[in-house]
């Protein structure tokens, strides 16, 4: 049985513990030898892209371009364990639904298409032709194409994503919700309006030249561990690393690089954060306003840059001058002295990078917060110079590429015009559903088919009970997957599981072995070629699944679907003619390391409506708490998004537990609670309350009135209509909750 303990973790992130956990992941999946060989091909030229995070590759020709959590992701995909028809024969869907997400993940790779049989409450085998015919019948029976939703996970390759959006638009809808709607949508909305591109402008080379790196709402030690190597190198050369995060995260404090013989053999480590500030949850906009106000008062702005490249500065400066320091301190949870100190650090830096993650993007005022981040960069001209710029750090390994390929419910007219010119049909122009509006459409019957290209829709989305009702309200749910997950068990009247190749597996098509391409978080596009024998002879690649679905659904289509997937170069030729920046795609992507999609801001070009970068005024708003606490959802160290690799959160000192709630010591004492006590967590919203039960209180370094707990266990607390203004991202990092002791007899889990 797994030990269940909570004990502060005092060692640095990385180090021998990271190596031990990596070996354990390979051992648990039964692939110590084969997994090691696979890892040596991870993030390499002529190798495959890690199926984990979107952090770019420093050196695609080095031997080791993976991290501990990358090992877990590769091991989970390359596992020796298999989910066969026998597992589904042994267990009803009701029985499988009673298992934990960790148990479902541990069963291994899916091996053949399965269809839900309502009479037996089991999944039963179905051949591929019958599966595609079933989906086609459902789709073609709809009164309108807009009654179907087509979800996309961020692990989908560029080639699969391009074909997928092409099929969906020829079918007749822009209903393309994707995982960006759940994470960095606010970044795209804010930056596109402000600087003309929704992407970050920095590259890895900029990290070598930055004099200061500010990190907001991000935990790279768990979510992007290879980033710690860049931060370590920066810290060693004297770069100031300034962190704003409500939680004290070990990976942002000290790091022992597993590839450093000196640190590994001597027990040494590197201090990462030179300065660490812990604002209250939701206090980032106020904190940034305070830093900007202090910077304005210092009078050392880059006025030449402001005059030449921006608009709206006068109104912005007047807004800052009018802000009250007491309100800034109250809302941020930081003192004026702390914010002036941070402003002084920023002011003294000739080149500064701002990084941020979902700790910034999943709040009601996320767009405003990101535009204030960007405004701070503009005040000092920290755009379009080496070592400077915005760096939104995306999650899934191709979530940024999927958006580039057209996975978006609100496509531009220019993109649709290019589709029409290339493929000879008129794509729909009306905006489609994002994730939240898609769930609402399923709830009220306006959408009755969900086709999900990867991901774990039921677990990733907010308001778990309402989302489950929405999925069960569908006539058909289809999930293209590599592993068994929660979404397969929350199904429509008809349901299919379609197993696909993993990133590490050989993709053999009519014209031979194929490679796909991905775009990382810094706009580098490179190839990914699998090297392992597929987990089953019955698996199809994602591009092949899309092509065969399109052929079955659109029999009169003029798109040569099967010809395109016979060799993926043909898909890339079409991408080149439709998507700007991909000229010479097939040639450039075969260069070592791939190629960079040029960001206009790197040349101080801002393709906004005014042709300039914008300063925007965002007044502070004191969100009066309707409950005693603000809760933020977080990942444990043994998970990646909704994939649960294990039950430990090593850096936070939690072993064998997932239903935990991190809380400040003063809040424990004030309420008469004790560390280790079980509580129920209830969120309060205009439409009622939502409760999850049996969470262990864990004393932690977090501000008063703030709590943190893991998702997806706390996703039931996030109301469906509590979203970021103008972006629609669920407010999973800012939930009004109260706590109450659990009923006697409740057990920890």
């Amino acid at each position: 049985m797994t030990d269940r303990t909570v004990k502060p973790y005092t060692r640095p992130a990385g180090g021998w513990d990271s190596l031990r956990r990596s070996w354990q992941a390979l051992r648990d999946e039964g692939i110590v030898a084969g997994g090691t060989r696979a890892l040596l091909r991870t993030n390499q030229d002529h190798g495959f892209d890690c199926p984990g995070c979107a952090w770019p590759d420093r050196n695609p020709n080095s031997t080791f371009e993976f991290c501990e959590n990358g090992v877990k992701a590769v091991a989970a995909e390359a596992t020796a364990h298999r989910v066969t028809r026998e597992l589904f024969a042994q267990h009803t869907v009701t029985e499988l639904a009673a298992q934990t997400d960790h148990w479902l993940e541990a069963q291994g790779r899916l091996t053949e298409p399965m269809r839900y049989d309502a009479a037996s409450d089991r999944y039963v085998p179905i051949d591929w032709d019958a599966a595609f015919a079933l989906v086609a019948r459902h789709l073609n029976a709809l009164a309108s194409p807009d009654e179907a939703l087509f979800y996309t996970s961020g692990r989908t390759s560029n080639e699969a994503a391009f074909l997928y959006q092409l099929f969906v638009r020829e079918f007749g809808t822009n209903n393309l919700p994707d995982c960006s709607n759940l994470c960095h949508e606010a970044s795209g909305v804010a930056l596109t309006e402000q600087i003309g591109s929704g992407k970050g402008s920095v590259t890895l080379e900029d990290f070598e030249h930055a004099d200061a790196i500010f990190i907001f709402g991000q935990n790279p030690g768990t979510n992007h561990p290879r980033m710690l190597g860049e931060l370590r190198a920066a810290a060693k050369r004297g770069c100031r690393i300034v962190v704003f995060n409500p939680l004290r995260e070990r990976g942002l404090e000290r790091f022992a690089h597993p590839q450093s013989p000196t640190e590994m053999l001597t027990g040494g480590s590197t201090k990462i954060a030179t300065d660490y500030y812990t604002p209250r949850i939701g206090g980032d906009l106020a904190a940034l306003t305070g830093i900007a106000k202090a910077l304005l008062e210092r009078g050392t702005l880059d006025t030449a840059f402001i005059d030449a490249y921006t608009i709206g500065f006068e109104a912005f400066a007047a807004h800052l001058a009018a802000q009250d320091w007491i309100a800034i301190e109250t809302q941020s949870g930081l003192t004026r002295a702390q914010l002036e100190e941070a402003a002084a650090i920023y002011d003294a830096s000739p080149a500064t990078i701002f990084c941020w993650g979902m700790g910034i993007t999943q709040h009601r005022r996320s767009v405003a917060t990101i535009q204030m981040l960007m405004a701070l960069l503009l005040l000092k001209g920290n755009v379009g110079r080496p070592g400077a710029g915005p760096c939104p750090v995306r999650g899934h390994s191709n979530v940024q590429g999927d958006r580039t390929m057209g996975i978006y419910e609100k496509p531009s007219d220019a993109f649709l015009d290019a589709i029409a010119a290339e493929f000879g049909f008129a794509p729909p122009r009306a905006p489609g559903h994002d994730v939240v509006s898609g769930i609402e459409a399923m709830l009220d019957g306006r959408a009755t088919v969900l086709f999900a290209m990867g991901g774990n829709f039921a677990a990733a989305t907010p308001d778990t009970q309402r989302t489950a009702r929405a999925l069960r309200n569908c006539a058909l749910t289809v999930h293209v997957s590599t592993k068994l997950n929660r979404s397969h068990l929350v199904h429509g009247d008809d349901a299919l599981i379609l197993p696909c190749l993993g990133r590490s597996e050989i993709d053999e098509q009519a014209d031979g072995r194929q490679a796909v391409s991905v775009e990382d978080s810094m706009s580098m596009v490179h190839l990914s070629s699998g090297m392992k024998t597929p987990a089953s002879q019955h698996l199809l690649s994602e591009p092949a699944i899309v092509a065969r679905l399109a052929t079955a659904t659109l029999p009169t289509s003029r798109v040569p679907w099967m010809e395109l997937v016979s060799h993926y170069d043909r898909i890339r030729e079409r991408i080149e003619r439709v998507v700007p920046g991909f000229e010479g795609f097939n040639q450039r992507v075969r260069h070592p390391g791939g190629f960079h999609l040029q960001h206009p801001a790197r040349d101080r070009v801002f393709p906004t409506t005014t042709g300039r970068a914008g300063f925007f005024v965002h007044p502070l708003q004191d969100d009066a708490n309707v409950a005693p606490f603000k809760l933020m959802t977080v990942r444990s160290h043994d998970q990646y998004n909704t994939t649960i690799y294990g039950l430990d959160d090593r850096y936070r000192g939690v072993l064998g537990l997932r239903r935990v709630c991190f809380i400040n010591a003063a809040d424990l004492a004030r309420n008469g609670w004790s560390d280790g006590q079980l509580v129920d967590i209830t969120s309060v919203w205009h439409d009622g309350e939502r409760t999850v039960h049996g969470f262990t209180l864990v004393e932690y370094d977090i501000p008063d009135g703030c709590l943190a707990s893991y998702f997806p266990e706390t996703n039931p607390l996030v109301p469906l209509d509590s979203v970021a203004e103008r972006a629609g991202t669920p407010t999973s990092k800012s939930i009004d909750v109260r706590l109450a002791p659990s009923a006697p007899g409740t057990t920890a889990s």
Side-chain angles (χ1 to χ4, degrees):
M1 181 177 176
T2 303
D3 289 334
R4 294 178 174 179
T5 59
V6 178
K7 183 179 180 180
Y9 188 81
T10 57
R11 293 189 290 276
W16 289 107
D17 285 346
S18 182
L19 292 182
R20 278 190 287 268
R21 181 63 182 92
S22 297
W23 179 84
Q24 179 190 359
L26 296 174
R27 182 198 64 189
D28 290 348
E29 300 295 350
I31 54 163
V32 172
T36 301
R37 288 193 296 271
L39 288 168
L40 295 177
R41 291 283 298 277
T42 305
N43 298 325
Q44 304 291 312
D45 276 334
H46 310 295
F48 63 92
D49 197 68
C50 177
C53 78
W55 189 255
D57 305 332
R58 162 55 66 181
N59 181 1
N61 295 310
S62 71
T63 305
F64 303 105
E65 269 295 325
F66 55 85
C67 62
E68 174 191 340
N69 281 4
V71 173
K72 295 173 190 172
V74 172
E77 180 177 290
T79 178
H81 307 309
R82 299 289 182 267
V83 174
T84 64
R85 60 178 65 185
E86 285 73 26
L87 179 76
F88 292 111
Q90 292 168 5
H91 299 283
T92 66
V93 169
T94 301
E95 291 167 350
L96 291 172
Q99 300 291 340
T100 65
D101 294 311
H102 179 226
W103 186 91
L104 296 173
E105 168 72 22
Q107 299 316 295
R109 289 291 299 279
L110 296 160
T111 54
E112 62 180 319
M114 306 296 290
R115 179 185 182 182
Y116 179 67
D117 176 60
S120 63
D121 188 33
R122 283 177 167 83
Y123 276 101
V124 298
I126 183 174
D127 67 50
W128 279 106
D129 286 341
F132 291 126
L134 175 66
V135 181
R137 283 198 304 273
H138 274 279
L139 291 177
N140 288 326
L142 297 175
S144 164
D146 291 328
E147 294 177 6
L149 304 170
F150 298 89
Y151 178 74
T152 318
S153 160
R155 288 183 181 175
T156 304
S157 68
N158 287 331
E159 292 73 18
F162 183 79
L163 289 188
Y164 191 49
Q165 64 80 29
L166 182 65
F167 159 67
V168 170
R169 292 191 163 108
E170 186 171 11
F171 178 66
T173 185
N174 283 314
N175 285 346
L176 282 159
D178 76 312
C179 59
S180 290
N181 301 149
L182 301 173
C183 54
H184 266 283
E185 196 67 64
S187 298
V189 170
L191 294 178
T192 299
E193 182 178 55
Q194 194 164 18
I195 62 172
S197 172
K199 302 178 182 182
S201 68
V202 303
T203 66
L204 277 185
E205 185 179 358
D206 288 311
F207 278 75
E208 300 173 6
H209 302 289
D211 297 287
I213 301 170
F214 281 59
I215 300 171
F216 300 89
Q218 189 193 357
N219 177 21
T222 288
N223 301 331
H224 310 87
R226 284 188 296 150
M227 182 178 177
L228 292 184
E230 299 299 331
L231 297 178
R232 172 182 176 271
K236 281 185 168 297
R237 63 175 175 76
C239 176
R240 294 291 288 265
I241 299 175
V242 184
V243 174
F244 285 79
N245 196 319
L247 287 170
R248 284 274 176 180
E249 300 289 13
R250 195 60 181 143
L252 286 168
E253 294 178 319
R254 299 203 72 86
F255 175 55
H257 202 312
Q259 295 181 35
S260 167
T262 301
E263 291 185 346
M264 295 300 286
L265 293 175
T266 65
S269 62
T270 300
K271 183 180 179 182
I272 300 299
T274 54
D275 306 89
Y276 205 124
Y277 303 100
T278 54
R280 63 183 289 269
I281 290 174
D284 299 282
L285 177 58
L288 292 163
T289 299
I291 296 171
K293 180 179 176 68
L295 191 65
L296 192 70
E297 292 170 352
R298 295 174 69 87
T300 50
L301 309 182
D302 188 339
T303 54
F305 175 88
I306 293 170
D307 291 343
Y309 297 106
T310 74
I311 190 171
F313 171 73
E314 292 78 9
F316 180 76
H319 163 71
L320 292 178
Q323 298 309 297
D324 177 64
W325 273 110
I326 294 177
I328 290 172
E329 289 180 311
T330 301
Q331 292 184 39
S332 69
L334 300 173
T335 66
R336 177 176 180 174
Q338 288 175 309
L339 297 173
E340 288 178 334
E341 178 185 60
I345 296 168
Y346 177 54
D347 195 22
S349 169
T352 305
I353 294 172
F354 280 7
C355 303
W356 67 90
M358 289 195 294
I360 294 296
T361 65
Q362 292 185 324
H363 296 267
R364 183 176 67 86
R365 303 199 68 201
S366 289
V367 171
T369 302
I370 294 163
Q371 291 192 333
M372 186 61 78
L373 278 168
M374 194 66 229
L376 268 173
L377 290 172
L378 297 176
L379 287 174
K380 295 290 291 182
N382 274 308
V383 184
R385 70 164 59 132
C391 182
V393 182
R394 261 76 181 196
H396 266 149
S397 62
N398 198 42
V399 63
Q400 186 161 299
D402 285 353
R403 182 56 59 85
T404 302
M405 291 297 106
I407 301 294
Y408 189 32
E409 73 278 2
K410 293 179 285 189
S412 69
D413 286 338
F415 180 82
L416 296 178
D417 290 343
I419 289 285
E422 178 65 23
F423 293 101
F425 69 86
R429 300 282 169 161
H433 288 300
D434 63 8
V435 168
V436 169
S437 68
I439 295 170
E440 293 169 339
M442 287 187 285
L443 277 169
D444 63 22
R446 287 177 291 124
T448 60
V449 173
L450 172 72
F451 191 103
M453 182 62 71
N456 186 357
F457 190 90
T461 44
D463 218 335
T464 306
Q465 279 71 37
R466 291 189 70 197
T467 296
R469 290 199 300 273
L471 291 170
R472 292 191 174 105
N473 203 33
C474 285
L476 173 69
T477 51
V478 185
H479 296 278
V480 178
S481 307
T482 57
K483 307 283 288 288
L484 188 63
N485 67 46
R486 183 66 51 192
S487 295
H488 305 140
L489 313 175
V490 186
H491 54 79
D493 296 336
D494 224 339
L496 290 169
I497 302 173
L498 304 182
C500 66
L501 292 173
R503 191 75 64 76
S504 62
E505 291 172 319
I506 296 169
D507 182 353
E508 192 83 34
Q509 300 299 328
D511 290 352
R513 289 191 180 184
Q514 302 300 313
V516 297
S517 64
V518 297
E519 178 186 344
D520 65 32
S521 198
M522 295 183 189
S523 302
M524 287 296 298
V525 180
H526 53 275
L527 287 177
S528 174
S529 305
M531 44 76 69
K532 290 185 62 64
T533 301
S536 165
Q537 62 179 333
H538 302 297
L539 305 183
L540 294 180
S541 73
E542 288 181 324
I545 288 172
V546 175
R548 291 184 63 175
L549 174 60
T551 300
T553 308
L554 306 171
T556 62
S557 173
R558 291 190 290 169
V559 177
W561 297 102
M562 300 312 298
E563 179 184 337
L564 290 174
V565 297
S566 66
H567 199 301
Y568 296 169
D569 276 4
R570 297 188 181 104
I571 306 173
R572 288 187 280 270
E573 289 169 358
R574 299 302 188 102
I575 292 171
E576 176 180 341
R577 297 202 287 264
V578 170
V579 184
F582 283 83
E583 297 78 11
F585 192 177
N586 277 313
Q587 293 73 41
R588 293 164 68 204
V589 80
R590 286 179 166 85
H591 294 165
F595 65 94
H596 183 252
L597 290 173
Q598 183 61 23
H599 193 295
R602 293 185 65 82
D603 298 318
R604 294 190 164 176
V605 173
F606 302 103
T608 63
T609 56
T610 65
R612 288 172 169 253
F615 286 97
F616 295 95
V617 171
H618 294 291
L620 297 180
Q621 297 174 4
D622 188 7
D623 291 337
N625 283 8
V626 297
F629 295 99
K630 288 278 189 186
L631 171 75
M632 59 186 287
T633 69
V634 296
R635 296 173 180 164
S636 80
H637 193 60
D638 265 358
Q639 78 179 92
Y640 192 80
N641 289 346
T642 60
T643 303
I644 311 300
Y645 300 124
L647 301 179
D648 295 345
D649 191 2
R650 185 172 75 246
Y651 295 153
R652 298 188 185 111
V654 177
L655 303 178
L657 288 167
R658 284 200 55 82
R659 298 180 79 84
V660 300
C661 181
F662 298 101
I663 186 171
N664 182 280
D667 286 322
L668 284 174
R670 186 180 303 112
N671 289 280
W673 299 328
S674 59
D675 189 42
Q677 181 176 346
L678 292 183
V679 296
D680 299 337
I681 310 174
T682 298
S683 64
V684 182
W685 192 239
H686 67 83
D687 63 352
E689 299 180 347
R690 296 158 174 81
T691 301
V692 292
H693 302 278
F695 283 69
T696 301
L697 290 175
V698 174
E699 182 182 324
Y700 204 79
D701 190 348
I702 187 172
D704 288 8
C706 298
L707 308 171
S709 191
Y710 306 134
F711 68 86
E713 288 83 354
T714 48
N715 283 2
L717 300 173
V718 186
L720 191 61
D721 60 350
S722 180
V723 297
E725 295 171 349
R726 298 201 293 137
T729 312
T731 58
S732 301
K733 296 295 185 286
S734 185
I735 313 164
D736 287 321
V737 302
R738 66 169 185 269
L739 305 181
S742 296
T746 302
T747 57
S749 59

